[in-house]
Amino acid sequence: MSRELRNPEDARDRLVDWIADQVRQSATEGVVFGLSGGVDSAVVCGLCARALGPARCLGVILPIESEADDARLARAAAEAFDVTAVEVALGAPFEALLAALEAASAAAAKRGIAGHEAAEVAGDPRGARPDLPRMNLKPRLRMTSLYYFANTLNRLVVGTGNAAEFAVGYFTKYGDGGADVFPLGDLVKAEVWALARLLGVPEEIVRRAPSAGLVPGQTDEGELGIAYEHLDAYLLSGTSGDAATDARIRTLVQASGHKVASPPVARLD
């Protein structure tokens, strides 16, 4: 099944109504979202401000070993839509928690706990990732922080994931994958970029190479080994136009199914 790219004006209007309806149905006061300096979070900021008014939106900047441009562009996104942004430096808590976890992990290894010889996700098509536990700890700390603000202010946490990321599992389970609502979850990356320009996201953010920001110099396309143009084409038409790329996308989709499915529950009846 194939489809065309959505009209950005129609997508904007429908998503604005959807966000307002989600907040109304939840009987909450507004929304909280992370601001990373990337285009997805900037688009979420713009949509939420339009749906609810800036006063009911809070952007949270959560640097952990982050590049200086991340916070600068995050603030620029908030300013573009007159949204209040707060910054919480998570570097020190991250290092403290990581040190405690690594010490406990080392102690478990000495006791012969299985699995310490390969710090990777079984079946991960990107290969062994000994740095994965450290990397994934960052978005999980950010998720915890966002829910602190949401609980304090009686607001929903708005996720920034898009359809391309969800399809191949390019997010951290219970990290950036942990939110109450995902307004961009049915949009391919080209549709996010089109919305960004329509909403008035600063051009520097729109042109910035997409990155999870977990390690210096990381880019989405570099880590995935797939250009968003090709991933979008696959999701829209069923093929990227290249057999090898299609095969890689199918492998990623299959390997990441557990990340988008609800956790299995044992049924005894």
Side-chain angles (χ1 to χ4, degrees):
M1 183 176 181
S2 63
R3 71 170 177 85
E4 299 294 324
L5 288 171
R6 295 182 176 87
N7 175 278
E9 289 87 358
D10 179 60
R12 176 200 60 196
D13 294 344
R14 291 173 64 187
L15 288 172
V16 163
D17 289 344
W18 184 85
I19 291 167
D21 190 51
Q22 293 298 308
V23 172
R24 183 167 50 252
Q25 288 184 31
S26 65
T28 52
E29 301 298 325
V31 294
V32 174
F33 43 81
L35 284 174
S36 66
V39 67
D40 295 321
S41 66
V43 167
V44 162
C45 182
L47 289 172
C48 289
R50 194 178 183 95
L52 304 169
R56 299 177 69 192
C57 303
L58 178 66
V60 187
I61 305 168
L62 299 164
I64 309 174
E65 300 180 332
S66 303
E67 297 181 7
D69 272 352
D70 293 350
R72 179 179 66 83
L73 292 174
R75 287 190 291 271
E79 290 168 4
F81 301 109
D82 199 28
V83 166
T84 296
V86 296
E87 182 171 338
V88 183
L90 292 180
F94 168 76
E95 292 296 342
L97 179 56
L98 182 64
L101 293 171
E102 287 179 338
S105 181
K110 289 181 180 179
R111 297 175 61 183
I113 301 299
H116 282 273
E117 67 279 1
E120 61 183 277
V121 173
D124 185 354
R126 290 183 287 273
R129 295 298 302 271
D131 58 344
L132 193 65
R134 177 188 180 95
M135 291 169 61
N136 279 343
L137 190 59
K138 296 177 182 181
R140 288 175 178 141
L141 271 179
R142 290 175 176 139
M143 180 274 291
T144 300
S145 302
L146 291 175
Y147 271 100
Y148 173 86
F149 285 105
N151 293 161
T152 300
L153 300 171
N154 186 30
R155 297 187 177 194
L156 292 178
V157 173
V158 182
T160 62
N162 59 62
E165 293 168 343
F166 285 156
V168 296
Y170 192 65
F171 61 91
T172 297
K173 197 172 184 178
Y174 306 119
D176 48 331
D180 296 313
V181 293
F182 286 97
L184 308 185
D186 197 36
L187 304 183
V188 297
K189 196 70 175 186
E191 292 170 326
V192 175
W193 277 318
L195 261 182
R197 291 195 164 95
L198 177 65
L199 290 167
V201 170
E203 189 65 19
E204 187 178 2
I205 297 175
V206 179
R207 292 182 175 275
R208 194 182 195 203
S211 171
L214 301 182
V215 294
Q218 178 190 49
T219 66
D220 294 358
E221 293 176 322
E223 188 170 12
L224 286 170
I226 305 167
Y228 272 117
E229 176 186 2
H230 298 151
L231 182 51
D232 281 0
Y234 180 91
L235 295 175
L236 292 171
S237 69
T239 179
S240 67
D242 176 77
T245 300
D246 287 357
R248 175 161 177 75
I249 293 172
R250 287 194 294 269
T251 299
L252 289 168
V253 170
Q254 183 176 14
S256 62
H258 70 98
K259 298 177 75 173
V260 294
S262 298
V265 176
R267 301 296 183 186
L268 304 183
D269 295 328

